[in-house]
Amino acid sequence: MLTYKIDDEIYLSLPRPEIDSTALFKLINDSRNELIPWLPWVLKIKSIADERETLKRNTHSLDTTDFKSSHLV
């Protein structure tokens, strides 16, 4: 897994769809109204399965040569 160390307590890493989708969906769902004005893709995430598939698609795009952008949070 790609990980970047910020300091002794903070790391940035790519999400793991099968492991992280439940927690990420909960965070999105709990803050849905605040996120929608800034991240319109939140409207498409209606379940854990939606989040898992979005993570799979976005992390897969990192492996392709035609990768242009990613909407990872």
Side-chain angles (χ1 to χ4, degrees):
M1 172 182 17
L2 178 64
T3 301
Y4 180 78
K5 181 179 179 179
I6 303 296
D7 61 29
D8 288 337
E9 297 179 11
I10 299 174
Y11 292 83
L12 297 177
S13 63
L14 293 175
R16 301 157 299 175
E18 299 300 328
I19 296 169
D20 299 326
S21 57
T22 300
L24 289 171
F25 175 75
K26 182 175 179 356
L27 291 169
I28 290 167
N29 206 42
D30 289 350
S31 300
R32 187 171 295 278
N33 291 333
E34 292 81 10
L35 294 172
I36 289 171
W38 311 106
L39 305 168
W41 54 262
V42 166
L43 292 169
K44 297 179 181 179
I45 307 297
K46 299 176 183 172
S47 68
I48 294 169
D50 290 341
E51 178 61 12
R52 185 178 306 114
E53 290 308 309
T54 299
L55 292 175
K56 285 180 182 178
R57 184 176 57 253
N58 288 341
T59 55
H60 174 74
S61 70
L62 294 172
D63 292 333
T64 63
T65 56
D66 64 342
F67 172 72
K68 295 178 183 168
S69 69
S70 180
H71 304 283
L72 302 176
V73 176

